Amino acid sequence: MKSGKPLEYWLELKSLIRQEDADDLHSFLKGISPVETARAVSKLDEMSRQKLLELLNPPDAADLLQDLPEEQAADMIGKMEPEDAAAIMDQISGSEQADILADVGDSTAEAILEAMPTEDAAVTRQLMTYPADTAGGLMNTEFLSYPEEYTVRQVIEDLQNNSRRYTDYHVQYAYVTAQSGVLLGVLRIRDLPLNPPETPVKSIMNVKPVHVKADSSLSELLQIFEEYSFLGIPVVGEGGVLAGVIRRDDVMAAAGDRDKNSFLKMSGIIGGEELRSMPLRLRSGRRLSWLVINIFLNLVSASVIAFYQETLAAVIALAVFLPIISDMSGSSGSQALAVSIRELTLGLVRPFEIAQVVLKEIGIGLVNGVILGGLLGLVALFWKGNFYLGIVVGGALAINTVVAVCVGGALPLILKMFRMDPALASGLILTTITDMCGFFFALYFATAMLPLLS
């Protein structure tokens, strides 16, 4: 069935969709990797993607959606009839249901939830109330828990009777709870065969287990998993009631997604992840919302050059050095920006600690500014043989480097203080400030020393 050439998988997939053979589609998708599946589906046109989902039975359609980026899965599931979408979502775990439905419009998501079994829908609705980057938003609600009155025999019998259902639970631990649902301890599955059948599980459980609250942030979760080597940690809600389990792999994946999203935002991709399979209008709008703002901010920087155009005309060599001053200062500022965003993410610095951050950045700005400014000044001296030109461009770079690192270090904290996304706006504002200040320092110094530069 398969050609064996990944680049042609999508053509094969498209042909099978035209033939409307669900069995062949099932066999084909089972025979290629998740990465190849995602690549093939992304190359299909919108109509073919929807037809593919409709041809597959609910379990196979659920497997397909889990191989795709969440944004694409949400787009596909959101275009189905609620009843059909609900049948597919019912085959997906609660946490993944919540992730996909969170990217679907509110009204569409609610219609799908209404068509799902009441109990499953209630769990998914609860999960959707948690922010995506918290323990509640990342936890898995499929786990094993037993009342404290249970014996080893009862637990083993439950495991045997439900072995098929528990296969996907990645069972290594079970949790012991009070009648109220409060977490009491953790039970290692491997300890069960080593104890007499009538032994109460509460006598062999690990009491006072390490746990996290449902509102624990991703940064807090990363710190806990760095401290402990656990594969999973129980999550508790109000009053210590066991709510779910957070797995190490899910936390690491979420951290990777957060870093990726921060990079996309700093690159000007607004509104979340962009895939080229998304509608042109959506992709264009997301990019333009950043680029249009950028035009006006660049005009602010350019106005400085326009104000000093006579100086620039008199000393043409400055035209060569202005972009260098701007770029080098911007790079220094971006380094400070990245450190502040990282420290904010890890909880190592708070928005009100701006003064401490600026003081530390002034030191590195002075050292690096003097070195970089000195190097650029020497280049100007050897190129044009004019000592004063070296003073102008070197001094401008040195001072602007100090400005850039101070702004870069403080800006994320200021934006965070006003509940704005530092990753989204910091880079744009920093670039405008460093360009404007760099041009101003160089042209102002040149104007003051114009007779010596001629």
Side-chain angles (χ1 to χ4, degrees):
M1 177 63 64
K2 294 184 298 176
S3 67
K5 298 178 181 178
L7 294 178
E8 297 177 5
Y9 285 162
W10 77 276
L11 295 173
E12 230 171 310
L13 182 58
K14 189 169 186 176
S15 175
L16 291 171
I17 294 170
R18 285 200 195 100
Q19 296 170 28
E20 299 188 6
D21 191 323
D23 290 335
D24 281 352
L25 276 171
H26 169 80
S27 299
F28 176 78
L29 292 172
K30 285 293 183 184
I32 62 177
S33 70
V35 172
E36 291 164 348
T37 299
R39 185 184 296 117
V41 172
S42 70
K43 290 182 178 295
L44 296 174
D45 58 82
E46 185 176 331
M47 187 177 296
S48 296
R49 286 198 295 269
Q50 290 308 126
K51 191 173 182 181
L52 169 62
L53 207 56
E54 292 165 4
L55 286 170
L56 296 172
N57 60 40
D60 290 342
D63 289 341
L64 172 68
L65 290 180
Q66 291 175 92
D67 288 342
L68 305 179
E70 285 172 9
E71 292 81 4
Q72 191 174 65
D75 181 63
M76 292 171 66
I77 205 74
K79 292 174 180 173
M80 299 186 74
E81 290 297 321
E83 293 75 17
D84 296 331
I88 295 172
M89 296 303 289
D90 196 43
Q91 303 295 318
I92 299 175
S93 69
S95 58
E96 291 182 80
Q97 284 179 10
D99 291 340
I100 293 174
L101 291 178
D103 288 327
V104 176
D106 291 342
S107 59
T108 304
E110 185 55 37
I112 295 172
L113 288 167
E114 287 289 340
M116 290 171 57
T118 304
E119 188 175 339
D120 293 345
V123 172
T124 303
R125 282 193 181 94
Q126 178 62 37
L127 289 171
M128 290 175 69
T129 63
Y130 297 113
D133 58 351
T134 64
L138 295 169
M139 71 182 179
N140 198 306
T141 55
E142 294 178 341
F143 56 89
L144 298 182
S145 68
Y146 298 99
E148 59 180 321
E149 298 84 10
Y150 260 45
T151 63
V152 168
R153 182 194 303 278
Q154 289 174 295
V155 173
I156 291 177
E157 287 177 353
D158 179 71
L159 291 172
Q160 291 172 338
N161 294 336
N162 298 280
S163 58
R164 181 172 298 179
R165 184 160 67 94
Y166 294 161
T167 299
D168 297 330
Y169 282 27
H170 307 290
V171 177
Q172 292 193 40
Y173 299 93
Y175 302 95
V176 181
T177 59
Q179 191 172 4
S180 61
V182 172
L183 176 66
L184 298 177
V186 174
L187 180 67
R188 294 186 301 185
I189 298 299
R190 68 173 183 265
D191 289 342
L192 294 173
L194 304 178
N195 287 276
E198 302 309 320
T199 304
V201 291
K202 65 181 180 181
S203 68
I204 60 172
M205 69 181 183
N206 291 327
V207 296
K208 297 182 179 178
V210 174
H211 62 273
V212 295
K213 293 183 178 180
D215 60 358
S216 297
S217 68
L218 180 56
S219 299
E220 292 171 329
L221 294 174
L222 286 168
Q223 290 177 342
I224 288 174
F225 277 106
E226 284 179 6
E227 184 176 353
Y228 299 99
S229 59
F230 300 141
L231 297 177
I233 295 176
V235 180
V236 299
E238 291 293 330
V241 174
L242 180 62
V245 177
I246 183 77
R247 296 196 180 104
R248 175 183 293 273
D249 289 347
D250 293 333
V251 172
M252 296 303 119
D257 287 341
R258 181 184 63 185
D259 293 341
K260 174 194 67 180
N261 288 333
S262 294
F263 172 75
L264 288 171
K265 288 176 181 178
M266 292 180 73
S267 301
I269 304 298
I270 298 174
E273 183 174 3
E274 177 185 318
L275 301 173
R276 291 189 173 90
S277 59
M278 291 177 174
L280 175 62
R281 182 179 177 182
L282 176 63
R283 295 172 57 217
S284 175
R286 286 181 172 182
R287 294 195 189 188
L288 281 175
S289 58
W290 171 276
L291 296 173
V292 169
I293 296 172
N294 209 9
I295 286 178
F296 291 102
L297 291 178
N298 275 308
L299 287 173
V300 173
S301 301
S303 65
V304 177
I305 296 178
F307 186 79
Y308 286 103
Q309 58 184 318
E310 292 181 2
T311 300
L312 190 58
V315 189
I316 298 299
L318 284 174
V320 175
F321 291 103
L322 288 181
I324 299 175
I325 294 169
S326 170
D327 182 68
M328 291 302 301
S329 302
S331 297
S332 296
S334 294
Q335 291 174 332
L337 184 73
V339 173
S340 285
I341 290 178
R342 181 61 175 163
E343 289 188 341
L344 275 173
T345 300
L346 295 176
L348 301 178
V349 67
R350 303 296 181 190
F352 58 82
E353 296 177 322
I354 296 174
Q356 296 94 308
V357 169
V358 170
L359 284 173
K360 290 184 178 181
E361 288 298 336
I362 286 176
I364 196 168
L366 287 171
V367 173
N368 289 358
V370 169
I371 293 173
L372 294 173
L375 290 173
L376 190 61
L378 288 174
V379 170
L381 174 61
F382 286 120
W383 179 39
K384 288 296 183 180
N386 189 316
F387 174 78
Y388 298 103
L389 179 62
I391 293 293
V392 167
V393 298
L397 177 55
I399 296 174
N400 204 38
T401 297
V402 176
V403 171
V405 296
C406 290
V407 172
L411 197 54
L413 279 69
I414 295 172
L415 293 173
K416 190 73 172 178
M417 190 182 298
F418 288 98
R419 301 186 182 280
M420 297 175 65
D421 188 343
L424 180 59
S426 296
L428 195 61
I429 298 172
L430 174 66
T431 299
T432 302
I433 293 175
T434 53
D435 286 356
M436 185 173 61
C437 291
F439 297 158
F440 171 76
F441 290 138
L443 293 170
Y444 177 80
F445 294 160
T447 301
M449 303 175 68
L450 193 57
L452 301 173
L453 300 175
S454 304

